[in-house]
Amino acid sequence: MDLYYIGAIIATGIVTGIIAILVTRSSANKKITKYKNLATAIRETSEKLSAVQSELEIAQQQFDHINHETTELQELKANSDQLQVTLDTNSELLDKVTAELDEKETALESLDEKLHGLMAKLDLYSRIDEFVEQGMFEIPAYLHETTSQFAAEEIKRLRERQKEMIKNQTAIPFPEDIEISGNSSHDKKILAGQIKLMLTAFNIECDFLIAKVSPGNFPRILEQIENKAAALEKSAATLHCGFNLEYVKLKYNECKLQYQFKLKKQEEQEEQKRIREQIREEQRAIKEYEQAVAKAEKEERMYREMLEKARKELERVSEAERIEAQARIALLEQQLAEAEENGKRAKSMAEQTRRGHVYIISNIGSFGEGVYKIGLTRRLEPMDRVKELGDASVPFPFDVHAIIYAEDAPNLETSLHHRFTRNRVNAVNLRKEFFRVPLENIRNAVDELTEGKADFTMTALADEYYESRRLQGRDKAVA
């Protein structure tokens, strides 16, 4: 029941009580005659009045208290609409917070799954310091020079396998029941310290050796890695512990990857050198073409002027001098035609940059018999390139076996190089275009590629070389 109605009932009861008292009092006046005397009646009536007044005061206090409480209830009732609006707003906010909480719980579950996945790797990462103490760095110093993505990823993969072996204590197997000092706990510490020392020395030494690997020292570096492992095993022979062969093989593979990268890098550098040399050769060729065109144009103008002058003089000469003048005119016409032809050829070569000459030359005095250089030149005069090669870099001049003009000279040269790639004298530096192969095989290949249009000289004169041998033999005989 509402407190407001309860208060009203109580108030009604109090008023009823007061009326009852007044009625009782009136009745008492009527019955006063029953008392012995007036004083007794007054005394008894006063006592009853006091009691009634006390009850009235108590009732008044209760009324005031109830009236105060009902006043607050009336105020609450007046504010009930506002409270309802606030309640509705808070309910909507609660629903929104509940939805966000559900989303957060879903995200938390997802993160919890990821956390469980990462926890599996936590032990490995927490031991990075221990790996570093044993010379197993996260990224070796030499890897910073390895720009090839493939080589870098493969080396990292090998390092992870090595770290896994160190973690599982399989990099250096050791006997668990070995006795050193009689104290098993102390013996384990000694053995663990020796294994850590061996791994530290071996890993750091291998990083140092692998950083120095090159195409020329690869076998020697592998041998040094093996020798280092053997030396460390020998130092711990009394403890009966040695390197796991699989761990050493991982170091071999790591060295092999770095060697392949260095080899590829050298090939790229050589290719860049070849391209730069080709550019220089083309620039020299273009310069020669331009000079040849200018020279041909100059000669053509000169012969035209001389021919025009000779024809004018022919009209003024006598009959006896006419024959000589006509012969001179014919010679000038021939020279003019040759100058025009040279100009056309120079212009054509300058316009077609793939045109050029492939040459096959040898130098018995410098490289021995059966060694031939297959090269390319775009020079207008290919013999200038051959003479240039034999100027100062070798003790004897080259002998020319064939100079082949081709519309696509680079393609012809490349085809011949691919044909005899297994016969290269230098299998590493592809700019060294020397091949140890019978000249007959080269001629057959050229005939096949040019449909037999090339001329070959099968004999190497080597005049200076044989003359030098003869002179040296004569000098010895005289001595």
Side-chain angles (χ1 to χ4, degrees), residues 419-471:
R419 185 73 61 90
F420 303 111
T421 185
R422 293 183 177 275
N423 303 99
R424 283 184 176 274
V425 175
N426 188 335
V428 176
N429 188 347
L430 302 183
R431 293 181 64 249
K432 307 298 183 181
E433 304 166 326
F434 290 90
F435 302 84
R436 192 180 301 279
V437 60
L439 185 59
E440 184 70 24
N441 293 0
I442 298 177
R443 185 178 69 175
N444 293 338
V446 170
D447 287 343
E448 179 182 339
L449 294 171
T450 63
E451 299 179 353
K453 296 179 181 179
D455 295 327
F456 256 81
T457 299
M458 301 300 293
T459 303
L461 299 178
D463 293 334
E464 292 186 13
Y465 169 64
Y466 289 119
E467 181 66 16
S468 296
R469 289 187 60 182
R470 187 184 67 79
L471 292 174

Side-chain angles (χ1 to χ4, degrees), residues 116-366:
H116 285 298
L118 292 174
M119 288 294 291
K121 302 178 181 179
L122 182 60
D123 181 62
L124 178 61
Y125 289 112
S126 64
R127 299 183 62 183
I128 289 178
D129 291 340
E130 181 181 346
F131 290 134
V132 172
E133 288 178 359
Q134 300 184 50
M136 178 56 66
F137 300 100
E138 188 71 15
I139 300 178
Y142 67 81
L143 194 57
H144 293 293
E145 298 180 0
T146 306
T147 56
S148 171
Q149 185 67 23
F150 171 77
E153 291 300 323
E154 283 296 304
I155 288 174
K156 287 180 181 178
R157 185 179 61 81
L158 290 174
R159 304 284 287 196
E160 288 298 325
R161 290 176 60 186
Q162 294 170 36
K163 287 165 64 176
E164 191 67 23
M165 293 187 71
I166 293 174
K167 174 188 173 183
N168 297 333
Q169 298 183 351
T170 58
I172 299 182
F174 58 91
E176 297 183 358
D177 57 348
I178 187 172
E179 293 186 4
I180 303 175
S181 63
N183 186 329
S184 60
S185 178
H186 187 59
D187 292 346
K188 289 181 179 179
K189 291 182 179 179
I190 294 175
L191 194 59
Q194 180 63 33
I195 291 174
K196 181 177 179 180
L197 181 63
M198 291 173 65
L199 282 171
T200 302
F202 184 65
N203 290 330
I204 293 177
E205 186 68 21
C206 285
D207 281 358
F208 176 73
L209 291 171
I210 293 173
K212 297 193 304 180
V213 72
S214 67
N217 65 3
F218 174 60
R220 189 167 66 254
I221 293 294
L222 292 181
E223 183 180 354
Q224 289 177 351
I225 291 175
E226 182 181 2
N227 292 340
K228 186 63 180 178
L232 290 170
E233 288 180 348
K234 186 176 180 180
S235 68
T238 56
L239 300 178
H240 306 288
C241 58
F243 286 97
N244 188 330
L245 185 59
E246 182 64 26
Y247 189 79
V248 179
K249 285 182 178 180
L250 289 174
K251 290 296 183 184
Y252 286 166
N253 293 336
E254 191 176 334
C255 183
K256 181 180 179 181
L257 284 171
Q258 185 68 359
Y259 157 73
Q260 291 174 343
F261 166 74
K262 289 288 186 69
L263 186 63
K264 181 65 176 177
K265 190 173 182 180
Q266 179 175 324
E267 290 177 357
E268 291 174 354
Q269 291 173 347
E270 294 296 336
E271 178 66 15
Q272 291 298 320
K273 289 181 181 178
R274 188 189 68 79
I275 292 173
R276 287 195 294 270
E277 177 62 27
Q278 181 178 345
I279 291 173
R280 286 195 293 268
E281 178 71 15
E282 290 178 355
Q283 289 174 343
R284 285 194 295 266
I286 291 172
K287 186 176 180 179
E288 289 182 359
Y289 298 152
E290 291 175 349
Q291 291 175 349
V293 170
K295 181 180 178 181
E297 290 176 349
K298 182 179 178 180
E299 290 180 351
E300 187 177 344
R301 287 194 302 271
M302 180 185 68
Y303 290 132
R304 286 186 185 279
E305 292 174 358
M306 292 175 64
L307 183 59
E308 184 179 353
K309 184 177 179 181
R311 286 172 176 169
K312 290 180 179 179
E313 291 178 354
L314 181 62
E315 298 175 355
R316 298 193 298 268
V317 298
S318 62
E319 192 66 29
E321 296 174 341
R322 181 174 295 276
I323 296 176
E324 182 180 352
Q326 289 177 344
R328 178 176 175 77
I329 290 173
L331 178 61
L332 289 172
E333 288 176 346
Q334 181 181 353
Q335 292 174 335
L336 177 59
E338 291 176 356
E340 290 175 345
E341 183 62 28
N342 290 337
K344 290 179 181 179
R345 186 163 67 96
K347 289 178 181 179
S348 177
M349 291 290 288
E351 292 171 355
Q352 299 294 330
T353 57
R354 296 195 67 83
R355 292 180 180 179
H357 295 84
V358 175
Y359 55 82
I360 292 93
I361 56 179
S362 66
N363 195 320
I364 295 176
S366 301

Side-chain angles (χ1 to χ4, degrees), residues 50-69:
S50 296
V52 170
Q53 287 178 345
S54 298
E55 291 177 359
L56 182 60
E57 290 176 358
I58 294 172
Q60 183 65 38
Q61 290 176 359
Q62 292 177 348
F63 177 77
D64 293 340
H65 177 71
I66 291 172
N67 185 53
H68 177 71
E69 289 183 351

